[in-house]
Amino acid sequence: MSTNKTARSAADAREPTRTGLSKDTLVQAFGDNLFYVQGRFREVATPYDLFLAAAYTVRDRMLERWIKSARTYKERNSRTVAYLSAEFLIGPQLGLNMVKLGITEAAQEAAQELDLDLTAILETEEEPGLGNGGLGRLAACYMDSMATLQIPAIGYGIRYEFGIFDQQIIDGWQVEKGDTWLRNGNPWEIHRPKICFPIGFGGHTEQYTDSAGISRTRWMPALVVNGVAYDTPIPGYGVNNVNLLRLWKSEAPESFDFQAFNTGNYYGAVHAKIEAETISKVLYPNDDPEVGKELRLKQQFFFVSCSLRDMIRLELSNTGTLEQFHQKFAIQLNDTHPSLAVAELMRLLVDEHLMPWEQAWEITQQACHFTNHTLLPEALETWPIDLFERLLPRHLDIIYQINANFLDQVRVKFFEDDERVRRLSLIDENNGRRVRMAHLAAVGSCAINGVAELHSELLKSTVMQDFHAMVPERFHNVTNGVTPRRFMVLSNPRLATLITEICGDNQWVRQLDHLSALEPHADDSNLQERWQAVKTAAKTDLSNWLGQETGITPDPNSLFDIQAKRIHEYKRQHLNLLHILALYEQIKTHGCDSIVPRTFIFGGKAAPGYYMAKLIIKLINAVGEVINHDPAVNGALRVIFMPDFNVKRAQRLYPAADLSEQISLAGKEASGTGNMKFSMNGALTIGTLDGANVEIREEVGAENFFLFGMTAAEVQQRQAAGYDPYAIYSTDEPIKSLIDLIASGLFSHGDTELFKPLVENLMHHDPFMVLADFRAYLKCQQQVAKVYQNAHNWQRMSILNVARIGKFSSDRAIQEYAERIWQIKPEPVSL
Ligand SMILES: *Cc1c(COP(=O)(O)O)cnc(C)c1O
C-alpha cells in the first residue's frame, strides 16, 4: 500500500500519466485504466481485464505520436504509400508495441511492482487472424518496416469479423472452428463511424449529357452498403512515427430499416442488413482463390472502393484537386486481390470527378504498383464475365475500354500478332470468358515486381512473358523480408540479448546487416557454447509447452527438425514424412542407437476444402501415433503435429529450431518468408533452390546450407520429357518399401483404404515430384545428422547463418520499394 502511494506521487511530479514511459508512471496508468476504462478492481479483474488495462496503457503512449504523425504528414503534404492488401496477419500487438516504444523493461518492472505476471498477460491476447499465411504476414512486416523507416503509409484492408479458422486436431484430422477474435473486445482499434463510404453493387449504367454537353456515364447500383473505418496504430521502432492500418467493416446503411418499416417489408430489410454485413464477415481460408465465389469478389471491390474514396477524400481536403493524386499516393497492390483498384480509380476519376479519360488513365497508371505472388497457374485469379456484369457493370465497361486501348498498343508494337493479342487480353476467351485480374493489375500499374530473384526471373519467362516483351522496363524484383522486431527481439529475447552483447549495441535491430559483427566470433568456442545454451533454452521452453499442448514432451537435446507453413502439396510435407519413415525403418532394423535422435515438429493449416492436404495432416498424426508409442524407438524419434499454427505459435517455433525444412519443388514457392525467420534464429536450412532459399544460400554460404533436389530448370525439363513416378517407385527399393508401408495399414489400424488416395497420387501422378527428389533428400538428411554430431561446428554454422542474414530484414525490402518503385522519402516526426 505505502509503496503504491509513493510511486504515485513520484510519478505525478515527473511526467503525465498517459504519455510517460517510466515504471512508476506505467504502474499508475495501469491502475487507472483498469479502474476507469474497465471499471474493475484488481480483486475482481479477469485475466482479460488485466490484458485490456495493459493494452490501453500501451495504446495511450502511442496516441500522441500517432496524431503528430498524421498532422506532420498532412502539413507537409507527404507522399504516402497506400498498401492495399486483402490480408494483414499482424499477430498479437501488446508485446511488440512495448518493444517499439522501448518500454519492455519498464513494463516488466511495473508488473513486478503490481505483482502481475507479464508473460501471462501477453499470453492472454488473442491474435487477429486476418490472413492465411505468408502473404498476409508480409503485409504486416511491411507495415512495421514502413513505420520504422519513417515512410508515411496507410495499410488498407478488411476487418473480417471471423479471421482464419482455429485448427483443432481430433482423431488426427483437422477440424475447423470459427475464429471469434473480437468477442472480448479489441483494444487496439479505434472505430471511426464518420469515416464511412457508401459502396454500390449491381444495378445498371445510364448515359447522360452534362451541362457542358459532354456525354457521361452514371452507375446506378441496386444495392448499397456502408464501409466504416477501424484504425489500428502501427508504431515504428525507436522513432516517433506511428502509421495507420485502416480496415473496413461493412454495414447496412441506416436508411434501410427505416425504408422497410414504411413499406412494411420488415423481413426484407433484415435480410438486406444481413447481406450487407456479410461482406466483411469472414476471411476466405484458401491460399489460392476458389473459382466463382461471388462474395470474395464483393469483398475485393468493397475494400478497394472504400480505400480509394478515402485517399480521394484526403487529397481533396489537402489540395482541392485530384490532378496530383499519383504524386500524393503510391498505391501498392499486394497480389491480384486489389486489382479492381485500377478500374475503380478510373470510374471515380472519370464518372464522379469528371476527369477526361486520358488524364485519369495517366494518374491511375502512375499511382498503381503491382506485386505478383505466385507462379501456380491455378492461383492466378480470374472472374467470369457474367458475374462481373451482374455485380460491377460499370467496371466491366471500363475494363473493356482499358483492354481495347491496350490491345491497340500491342498491335502497334507486334504488328498483327493475333495470338499474342489473345494471350495479353484482359479477357480470357478460352474458358467461358473471364477477366484476368493479373492482367488488369499489370496494365494499370507502372511497376510490376516478383518477390525473390528466381521468382521475378520465372515471371518474365513464364506467366508474364508477353507483358515482359511488351513493357520490360516495368519489371522489378524485390526479395521479401521479415521484421526482426517481432521475429528476433520479441520472440527470442535470449538470442537478442546475446547478439547485442557481442555486437556492442542494439543497432542491428534497425540495421540488420550489422549482424555481420558476429562473423569474426563464429569460431569462438566460448560463444558457440553460449549460442547453443540459448538454443537449448528455447528448445526446453517449446518442449514443455508442447507437453501441455500435445501430451508429448520431446528431449531438448534431440535435433529439432521443424516444418511449419500452410499444408500444401507443393510444399511437400509428405517428402519430410518419407524421410521420417526411412528413419523408422532404420530403427526397426538397426536399433534406436543407429540414428541421431530427432524431434520432428509440423505445424500448418489446410484449406478446409483441400482434401489431399487434410489427408497429409492425418498421415502426420497417424505416423506420430505409431512412432511415439513404439518401445523400439525409445524416444529417439518424435513426430509432433502442433495444432493451430498462427503468428503467436510461430514465435515459439522459430527460436527452437535446429533445422528448417524449406523443401518445396523448385519453381513453386514464390519466395517464402518462414525460411528467413528460421535462419534469423539460428536454424540451418535443408532446402531446394526455390524462392528466396536461393538467395539465403548465397548469403549464408553454400557450406552452411543443406541443399538438395532438382533446380527449376531441371524440373521443367523432366516434366517436358514426361515424368513417370511409377518408374521410380518400381525400381527404387527404399522408396517402394516406404510407400508400401503407408499403404500397408500400419498407420491406419489395418485400414488399407485410408491413405490410398495419397499413395496412388504419389505413384501415378506425383505432380510435385516427391519421388524424383526423395533420394537426394535422404542423402542430404544423412549429411545433416552427421554434421549435427559435431556440436561446435553446428553452432559455428548457426552463428554464420545469423551473421549473414541481414539482407532478409523487411527494412531492406521496404528501402528498395521506397527508392526504386515508390520514389518516396522518409518523413521524420518530432514530438
Ligand atoms: C511466416 C509465416 C508464414 C509463411 O511461411 P512460409 O514458410 O513462407 O510459407 C505462414 N504463416 C505464419 C503464421 C507465418 O508467421
Side-chain angles (χ1 to χ4, degrees):
M1 265 321 203
S2 68
T3 45
N4 247 350
K5 218 167 188 175
T6 27
R8 180 163 295 220
S9 51
D12 284 345
R14 263 185 252 128
E15 48 181 21
T17 323
R18 290 203 141 159
T19 52
L21 303 178
S22 74
K23 182 254 309 177
D24 289 345
T25 305
L26 294 179
V27 167
Q28 185 183 337
F30 178 87
D32 285 357
N33 278 317
L34 186 63
F35 188 83
Y36 290 106
V37 179
Q38 294 302 108
R40 289 284 201 210
F41 292 110
R42 263 302 284 284
E43 289 70 20
V44 294
T46 64
Y48 203 79
D49 287 328
L50 299 178
F51 158 70
L52 286 176
Y56 286 121
T57 302
V58 170
R59 193 181 90 175
D60 283 345
R61 260 131 279 270
M62 299 194 290
L63 271 169
E64 189 185 3
R65 290 171 169 77
W66 197 11
I67 304 300
K68 281 267 164 65
S69 301
R71 189 176 298 162
T72 305
Y73 299 161
K74 187 172 163 66
E75 278 168 8
R76 302 199 193 143
N77 195 20
S78 314
R79 182 160 165 79
T80 301
V81 175
Y83 198 87
L84 265 59
S85 180
E87 304 188 4
F88 285 92
L89 192 52
I90 59 175
Q93 296 293 291
L94 180 57
L96 188 65
N97 284 337
M98 292 190 323
V99 166
K100 291 184 183 179
L101 289 170
I103 59 170
T104 307
E105 231 168 279
Q108 260 149 6
E109 289 166 13
Q112 197 162 18
E113 183 162 319
L114 289 161
D115 195 22
L116 288 169
D117 179 352
L118 186 57
T119 311
I121 290 178
L122 290 168
E123 209 29 58
T124 310
E125 182 169 3
E126 183 130 21
E127 78 175 71
L130 308 185
N132 273 288
L135 176 139
R137 184 53 237 174
L138 184 76
C141 284
Y142 283 177
M143 290 304 293
D144 177 324
S145 285
M146 287 189 285
T148 298
L149 294 176
Q150 306 187 300
I151 291 172
I154 308 175
Y156 282 114
I158 301 174
R159 180 181 176 274
Y160 301 104
E161 188 179 331
F162 299 98
I164 186 71
F165 62 85
D166 292 338
Q167 178 193 55
Q168 294 182 342
I169 301 298
I170 296 178
D171 191 27
W173 293 99
Q174 167 174 301
V175 174
E176 300 93 21
K177 216 177 122 255
D179 162 50
T180 53
W181 70 288
L182 287 167
R183 71 183 176 282
N184 294 319
N186 170 12
W188 304 111
E189 66 183 14
I190 294 182
H191 178 197
R192 308 271 187 213
K194 290 284 178 233
I195 301 181
C196 172
F197 299 98
I199 307 299
F201 293 95
H204 62 278
T205 58
E206 286 175 5
Q207 305 292 323
Y208 70 100
T209 308
D210 71 8
S211 52
I214 300 172
S215 167
R216 300 197 175 277
T217 308
R218 189 157 49 203
W219 175 28
M220 310 296 288
L223 170 76
V224 175
V225 307
N226 278 343
V228 185
Y230 283 75
D231 290 351
T232 300
I234 306 287
Y237 172 80
V239 293
N240 294 319
N241 297 57
V242 175
N243 283 342
L244 169 61
L245 174 61
R246 177 161 284 170
L247 303 178
W248 303 102
K249 174 179 192 276
S250 65
E251 289 179 354
E254 293 152 39
S255 57
F256 251 129
D257 296 346
F258 195 65
Q259 247 174 25
F261 184 77
N262 284 338
T263 58
N265 183 11
Y266 180 71
Y267 290 104
V270 170
H271 181 77
K273 186 171 163 66
I274 289 170
E275 196 175 310
E277 291 180 351
T278 298
I279 292 177
S280 62
K281 189 66 81 177
V282 59
L283 168 77
Y284 277 94
N286 281 28
D287 264 346
D288 40 65
E290 269 173 295
V291 278
K293 285 283 187 280
E294 178 171 334
L295 180 58
R296 194 174 161 110
L297 185 60
K298 278 188 176 169
Q299 287 184 336
Q300 294 181 354
F301 177 66
F302 167 74
F303 98 88
V304 157
S305 182
C306 288
S307 309
L308 289 170
R309 284 160 190 253
D310 195 43
M311 288 177 234
I312 286 174
R313 173 186 67 90
L314 290 167
E315 177 64 351
L316 286 178
S317 79
N318 247 19
T319 67
T321 156
L322 296 177
E323 310 220 327
Q324 273 83 49
F325 181 84
H326 56 294
Q327 278 155 24
K328 170 72 181 182
F329 286 108
I331 298 173
Q332 189 67 40
L333 308 175
N334 192 28
D335 210 334
T336 53
H337 318 139
S339 294
L340 275 169
V342 172
E344 173 67 350
L345 184 53
M346 284 302 287
R347 190 190 67 82
L348 290 166
L349 294 176
V350 172
D351 290 1
E352 300 204 354
H353 296 275
L354 311 182
M355 197 181 269
W357 176 280
E358 292 71 24
Q359 187 186 7
W361 183 243
E362 192 69 20
I363 288 173
T364 298
Q365 222 185 24
Q366 287 191 44
C368 292
H369 315 77
F370 167 48
T371 304
N372 174 294
H373 281 270
T374 185
L375 294 163
L376 300 180
E378 68 270 25
L380 286 172
E381 209 177 2
T382 62
W383 292 100
I385 294 278
D386 52 0
L387 177 59
F388 246 90
E389 202 146 33
R390 193 152 47 74
L391 227 51
L392 301 165
R394 177 59 180 144
H395 298 81
L396 188 59
D397 287 348
I398 289 172
I399 288 168
Y400 283 147
Q401 186 61 54
I402 293 171
N403 197 32
N405 297 349
F406 172 61
L407 294 182
D408 280 348
Q409 291 171 17
V410 175
R411 288 192 189 92
V412 169
K413 181 149 181 167
F414 301 97
F415 184 69
E416 295 300 308
D417 184 346
D418 285 345
E419 199 34 56
R420 186 183 295 269
V421 167
R422 255 192 293 280
R423 291 197 305 266
L424 276 167
S425 173
L426 304 202
I427 311 297
D428 178 357
E429 309 278 354
N430 298 324
N431 301 295
R433 300 203 78 213
R434 308 175 69 91
V435 180
R436 294 164 162 158
M437 302 306 270
H439 291 211
L440 177 60
V443 170
S445 296
C446 60
I448 302 166
N449 76 283
V451 290
E453 274 167 21
L454 174 67
H455 172 240
S456 296
E457 285 309 309
L458 289 171
L459 269 186
K460 292 192 273 184
S461 61
T462 62
V463 286
M464 304 210 79
Q465 189 178 18
D466 294 311
F467 275 100
H468 183 248
M470 184 73 194
V471 281
E473 69 283 358
R474 283 196 213 162
F475 281 74
H476 301 260
N477 172 61
V478 182
T479 300
N480 284 168
V482 301
T483 170
R485 271 74 67 184
R486 180 177 290 279
F487 292 109
M488 297 182 80
V489 180
L490 176 66
S491 57
N492 201 347
R494 294 186 194 94
L495 185 68
T497 304
L498 179 56
I499 291 172
T500 297
E501 183 197 315
I502 305 298
C503 292
D505 60 42
N506 66 359
Q507 271 305 302
W508 60 272
V509 177
R510 48 169 51 266
Q511 275 288 313
L512 203 62
D513 42 15
H514 284 205
L515 287 175
S516 62
L518 294 169
E519 182 144 358
H521 304 274
D523 289 313
D524 175 351
S525 65
N526 181 38
L527 178 63
Q528 290 165 359
E529 278 161 32
R530 294 178 69 194
W531 198 263
Q532 180 168 21
V534 163
K535 180 61 77 180
T536 305
K539 288 163 74 177
T540 306
D541 285 352
L542 177 62
S543 174
N544 292 332
W545 180 78
L546 284 171
Q548 293 163 21
E549 283 289 310
T550 67
I552 295 168
T553 310
D555 177 2
N557 293 313
S558 63
L559 191 169
F560 276 30
D561 180 332
I562 307 187
Q563 187 170 18
K565 47 182 74 232
R566 287 299 288 251
I567 311 292
H568 215 296
E569 286 165 282
Y570 85 79
K571 292 177 185 272
R572 301 200 293 191
Q573 279 89 357
H574 41 353
L575 177 58
N576 188 341
L577 263 175
L578 287 178
H579 170 237
I580 296 173
L581 295 183
L583 290 179
Y584 185 45
E585 284 213 323
Q586 188 174 332
I587 289 176
K588 290 300 232 188
T589 44
H590 301 290
C592 62
D593 292 336
S594 69
I595 71 156
V596 172
R598 280 209 211 205
T599 297
F600 289 91
I601 300 169
F602 291 86
K605 293 173 184 175
Y610 189 171
Y611 175 71
M612 201 57 91
K614 290 179 134 178
L615 196 57
I616 290 172
I617 292 177
K618 172 66 178 172
L619 181 57
I620 294 169
N621 283 301
V623 167
E625 196 61 35
V626 170
I627 289 181
N628 296 339
H629 297 109
D630 186 337
V633 173
N634 195 24
L637 209 53
R638 294 284 190 206
V639 181
I640 300 173
F641 190 93
M642 181 203 69
D644 203 32
F645 180 58
N646 58 16
V647 176
K648 199 166 156 184
R649 289 170 172 234
Q651 288 174 205
R652 297 180 180 278
L653 292 185
Y654 300 126
D658 292 307
L659 188 67
S660 158
E661 297 271 355
Q662 307 300 335
I663 59 178
S664 52
L665 177 64
K668 297 295 177 190
E669 189 76 86
S671 162
T673 50
N675 46 6
M676 301 165 188
K677 296 178 233 167
F678 277 109
S679 189
M680 249 173 218
N681 284 279
L684 304 188
T685 304
I686 182 164
T688 50
L689 283 178
D690 200 13
N693 294 354
V694 177
E695 291 157 76
I696 291 175
R697 178 166 171 269
E698 266 167 29
E699 292 290 311
V700 305
E703 66 286 3
N704 301 306
F705 185 106
F706 297 101
L707 177 73
F708 76 96
M710 293 179 285
T711 63
E714 286 164 354
V715 167
Q716 278 175 10
Q717 285 160 17
R718 186 101 187 235
Q719 249 144 15
Y723 173 55
D724 177 11
Y726 195 82
I728 301 177
Y729 166 81
S730 51
T731 56
D732 197 320
E733 190 34 49
I735 290 183
K736 182 171 188 313
S737 76
L738 298 174
I739 289 189
D740 290 350
L741 196 62
I742 300 172
S744 73
L746 176 66
F747 305 112
S748 42
H749 307 283
D751 180 351
T752 53
E753 290 298 309
L754 181 60
F755 295 118
K756 208 169 203 167
L758 192 60
V759 165
E760 300 265 309
N761 186 274
L762 282 179
M763 286 188 333
H764 302 296
H765 304 288
D766 193 17
F768 300 102
M769 301 177 126
V770 170
L771 300 198
D773 269 346
F774 179 68
R775 273 208 163 257
Y777 180 58
L778 196 65
K779 209 166 143 222
C780 194
Q781 283 285 19
Q782 286 159 355
Q783 182 65 17
V784 168
K786 204 167 133 203
V787 175
Y788 189 72
Q789 282 170 296
N790 181 342
H792 276 280
N793 188 38
W794 185 278
Q795 297 309 322
R796 191 184 135 275
M797 291 166 74
S798 168
I799 294 167
L800 287 174
N801 260 262
V802 176
R804 298 171 177 177
I805 207 68
K807 171 176 171 183
F808 302 97
S809 168
S810 43
D811 298 345
R812 185 270 315 148
I814 286 301
Q815 196 86 50
E816 289 182 8
Y817 277 104
E819 285 168 12
R820 304 213 308 256
I821 294 184
W822 302 329
Q823 274 98 45
I824 198 166
K825 283 200 278 298
E827 193 74 88
V829 171
S830 44
L831 288 180

